[in-house]
Amino acid sequence: MRISVRLFARARDLAGADRLDVQLSEPATVGQLKEQMHEQCPPLGSLLPQLLVAVGTDYATDETPLDETADVACFPPVSGG
Amino acid sequence: MRISVRLFARARDLAGADRLDVQLSEPATVGQLKEQMHEQCPPLGSLLPQLLVAVGTDYATDETPLDETADVACFPPVSGG
Amino acid sequence: MVRLTHESIDFTALTEQVRSPQAGAVVLFLGTVREMTDGRRTVALDYEAYPEMAVAKMEELHAEAFARWPVTHAAIVHRLGHLELGDISVAVAVSCPHRTDAFEAGRFLIDRLKEVVPVWKQENWDDGTTEWVHPDGGLIAE
Amino acid sequence: MVRLTHESIDFTALTEQVRSPQAGAVVLFLGTVREMTDGRRTVALDYEAYPEMAVAKMEELHAEAFARWPVTHAAIVHRLGHLELGDISVAVAVSCPHRTDAFEAGRFLIDRLKEVVPVWKQENWDDGTTEWVHPDGGLIAE
């Protein structure tokens, strides 16, 4: 399946794009998505240990399963306020 | 000496006046003032256990000494805010 | 800045007074006239003060807040006279570099104000009676 | 009420929204752009959000405040875009019958907002460099 991951803040700056399209074999988890993102986009490596993933509007863990319809976003720890 | 005590809130309502002039023999303390006020103005009795006395702009205790130049005020526990 | 007033409290102006590029956090507290107290309905409150001492005590609290927290600016205003439901009786505004200090200093100022500043409020109940309020929400028996 | 905006935050209107005769206490928190951070001088901040998720998380926090405290009204607004020194980046307003609850609920909302709402800020230092801010005041190494 193909997942189009939205990128924000420093994740977007490192990738140089606000989306990253990732190909994954099913079934897939967030952990596998992150590995694949790193492979496709090595500059994200420096942020990888801190990178957060949201599926829909909820924070996901590496074990969270993904399907093709999921809205997926990746970003660094939040710093609003 | 004569001390003119300012009264506020329920203390003023009970006394029916915003000042009470009290005669005290010197030296005198706030404790003696309160006794004399009660004698001169029995309606203050119901408030006496809670009655606060200020000398100048500071809270006084029963032991605080008084002199003729003191600005003295009596009032119930505060309830602002 | 500390002040007693018989006019409406302008909390916008008060907040603007404490804002600063040195402060990342502003906390404003407003005390407002609440309708229900322990199941009884208030229609208005009357506030009176021993004004000279009230201002002196507010100045002391203001100075103590600066001594205890890294306060950038602080302002305290208490209104006196006849207040209707929803009116602002007291306003405390504090700015600090960081929010933990601003919350603590704001909380300190309103808590201590209610303990030591000589101001008294009288309830005007909806049955037409009036009653001086005792601290801690109790009432002084008539 | 929760909202993201690119306009100046009108804290007066926000505070008026939460005032009520059912509430005796209003707490307003403002986060403002501070000049100095660990000895370095900021000239501006840029905020960005993942807007759909930010609104969803703000709604969750809003509901959680009502579940945990007797909140009368609450409002949360976060500003996005380019902010100058002293500008308001975030405002939280809470009203409750009593002040302890209003302080606790206000503190909860801003603390949790900074932990879970997907908003990021970028420092514009006075030497012309920019840097994404890491939570806890640290910076993500460039």
Side-chain angles (χ1 to χ4, degrees):
Chain A
M1 64 182 164
R2 193 182 71 97
I3 291 191
S4 177
V5 180
R6 291 172 73 175
L7 303 175
F8 291 98
R10 189 160 155 71
R12 182 198 53 234
D13 289 1
L14 288 172
D18 59 8
R19 284 194 180 264
L20 190 63
D21 288 347
V22 183
Q23 286 290 341
L24 291 171
S25 51
E26 298 183 61
T29 64
V30 164
Q32 289 162 335
L33 173 78
K34 284 162 82 174
E35 280 170 32
Q36 185 60 32
M37 285 173 68
H38 188 198
E39 200 161 299
Q40 278 183 233
C41 181
L44 282 176
S46 66
L47 192 58
L48 212 63
Q50 304 171 302
L51 200 69
L52 300 173
V53 177
V55 176
T57 57
D58 287 315
Y59 287 99
T61 66
D62 283 354
E63 290 69 43
T64 303
L66 291 170
D67 67 64
E68 207 153 24
T69 65
D71 282 322
V72 180
C74 273
F75 44 77
V78 305
S79 60
Chain B
M1 65 181 162
R2 193 184 70 97
I3 290 189
S4 176
V5 181
R6 291 172 74 175
L7 304 174
F8 291 97
R10 188 158 155 73
R12 183 198 53 234
D13 288 0
L14 288 172
D18 59 8
R19 282 192 181 266
L20 189 63
D21 288 347
V22 183
Q23 287 290 341
L24 291 171
S25 53
E26 299 183 62
T29 64
V30 163
Q32 290 162 335
L33 174 78
K34 284 162 82 175
E35 281 169 31
Q36 186 59 35
M37 285 174 68
H38 188 197
E39 201 160 301
Q40 279 184 229
C41 181
L44 282 176
S46 66
L47 193 58
L48 212 63
Q50 305 171 301
L51 200 69
L52 300 173
V53 177
V55 176
T57 57
D58 287 315
Y59 287 98
T61 66
D62 283 355
E63 289 69 44
T64 303
L66 291 169
D67 67 63
E68 207 153 25
T69 65
D71 282 323
V72 181
C74 273
F75 44 77
V78 305
S79 59
Chain C
M1 193 280 293
V2 311
R3 199 158 57 88
L4 296 173
T5 181
H6 281 79
E7 310 296 314
S8 283
I9 293 178
D10 181 347
F11 69 82
T12 303
L14 201 77
T15 305
E16 292 296 352
Q17 276 180 39
V18 304
R19 282 179 63 187
S20 160
Q22 270 61 62
V26 174
V27 169
L28 171 71
F29 173 82
L30 303 179
T32 61
V33 179
R34 194 182 59 233
E35 185 171 19
M36 300 305 294
T37 298
D38 300 329
R40 294 185 74 183
R41 190 178 300 273
T42 299
V43 294
L45 290 178
D46 286 283
Y47 283 87
E48 92 171 64
Y50 174 10
E52 299 89 336
M53 182 173 171
V55 168
K57 289 292 160 202
M58 288 159 80
E59 296 277 15
E60 286 176 24
L61 296 182
H62 189 266
E64 197 175 344
F66 278 81
R68 293 180 58 174
W69 291 275
V71 172
T72 308
H73 299 294
I76 315 169
V77 182
H78 204 301
R79 186 169 167 192
L80 303 175
H82 188 73
L83 276 70
E84 304 287 343
L85 286 189
D87 282 353
I88 300 169
S89 54
V90 63
V92 169
V94 184
S95 62
C96 292
H98 298 282
R99 74 185 184 286
T100 299
D101 295 320
F103 272 101
E104 286 182 9
R107 183 71 201 266
F108 163 81
L109 286 171
I110 184 62
D111 284 358
R112 291 291 289 155
L113 179 146
K114 291 173 81 91
E115 289 168 356
V116 304
V117 174
V119 173
W120 303 271
K121 62 172 163 256
Q122 195 170 30
E123 288 277 4
N124 295 256
W125 298 115
D126 69 343
D127 61 7
T129 61
T130 64
E131 209 166 6
W132 288 103
V133 176
H134 192 275
D136 311 316
L139 298 158
I140 296 174
E142 294 292 316
Chain D
M1 194 280 295
V2 311
R3 199 158 56 89
L4 296 174
T5 180
H6 281 78
E7 309 296 314
S8 283
I9 293 178
D10 181 348
F11 70 82
T12 304
L14 200 77
T15 305
E16 292 296 352
Q17 276 179 39
V18 304
R19 282 179 62 188
S20 160
Q22 270 61 62
V26 175
V27 169
L28 171 71
F29 172 82
L30 303 179
T32 61
V33 179
R34 194 180 60 233
E35 185 172 19
M36 301 305 295
T37 298
D38 300 330
R40 295 184 75 182
R41 190 178 301 274
T42 299
V43 294
L45 290 178
D46 286 282
Y47 283 87
E48 91 172 64
Y50 174 8
E52 299 88 336
M53 182 173 170
V55 167
K57 289 291 161 203
M58 289 160 79
E59 295 277 15
E60 285 176 24
L61 296 181
H62 188 267
E64 196 174 344
F66 278 81
R68 293 180 57 173
W69 290 276
V71 172
T72 307
H73 298 295
I76 315 169
V77 181
H78 204 302
R79 186 168 166 193
L80 303 176
H82 188 74
L83 275 70
E84 305 287 342
L85 285 189
D87 282 352
I88 299 168
S89 54
V90 64
V92 170
V94 184
S95 62
C96 294
H98 298 284
R99 74 184 183 287
T100 299
D101 295 321
F103 272 100
E104 287 182 9
R107 184 71 201 269
F108 163 81
L109 285 172
I110 185 61
D111 284 358
R112 290 292 289 157
L113 179 148
K114 291 172 82 90
E115 290 169 355
V116 303
V117 175
V119 172
W120 302 271
K121 61 172 163 258
Q122 194 170 32
E123 288 277 4
N124 294 257
W125 299 114
D126 70 343
D127 61 7
T129 60
T130 63
E131 209 165 6
W132 288 104
V133 177
H134 191 277
D136 311 314
L139 298 158
I140 296 174
E142 295 294 315

